Amino acid sequence: MAQHGLLIDYEFCTGCHACEMACKVEKGLGEGEWGIKLAQIGPWKLDGDAWEWDYVPMPTQRCDLCAERVAAGKVPACVHHCQSLAMEFGPVDELAKKAVKPRMALFTVR
């Protein structure tokens, strides 16, 4: 079986925190516990009226890519609930071919 991963396109992440909340509910995580954690980068002024302000969903050590959901033929909760469709789940080799933009990251878990 191919190793699976999570491809995140940071260009489209809006910082809505839906991935965090979906994970917390799915895994029954408490306060201060995260399976995926949204980091905020910025805001800071670049040039003229341009600003840098990004959101970066980061799988933590608690993330198992929702192994139980995947075994049942579903996608991980974070992917299912991502409102901006910035996350994709699948075999790592297929996702790697899609990671063609500079603001994308491919994550795997052990």
Side-chain angles (χ1 to χ4, degrees):
M1 184 170 135
Q3 182 180 15
H4 284 79
L6 183 64
L7 180 64
I8 303 174
D9 186 341
Y10 296 112
E11 182 178 342
F12 292 106
C13 180
T14 63
C16 71
H17 296 268
C19 57
E20 285 181 342
M21 292 298 101
C23 180
K24 280 183 158 295
V25 170
E26 181 72 27
K27 296 292 185 187
L29 299 175
E31 186 175 338
E33 296 180 309
W34 309 96
I36 191 164
K37 177 75 172 117
L38 193 73
Q40 179 178 309
I41 309 299
W44 58 77
K45 194 168 179 104
L46 296 174
D47 297 323
D49 292 334
W51 288 79
E52 179 84 18
W53 195 351
D54 296 307
Y55 297 95
V56 183
M58 297 290 300
T60 71
Q61 293 296 321
R62 283 189 165 87
C63 178
D64 66 357
L65 292 175
C66 289
E68 290 181 20
R69 286 180 59 88
V70 171
K74 300 176 183 178
V75 297
C78 60
V79 175
H80 179 74
H81 290 280
C82 180
Q83 296 176 9
S84 62
L85 305 176
M87 298 181 167
E88 187 174 344
F89 173 78
V92 170
D93 55 344
E94 290 178 23
L95 294 176
K97 292 175 188 173
K98 295 178 179 184
V100 295
K101 298 187 320 187
R103 298 176 65 85
M104 297 179 98
L106 178 57
F107 293 93
T108 60
V109 297
R110 34 186 163 99

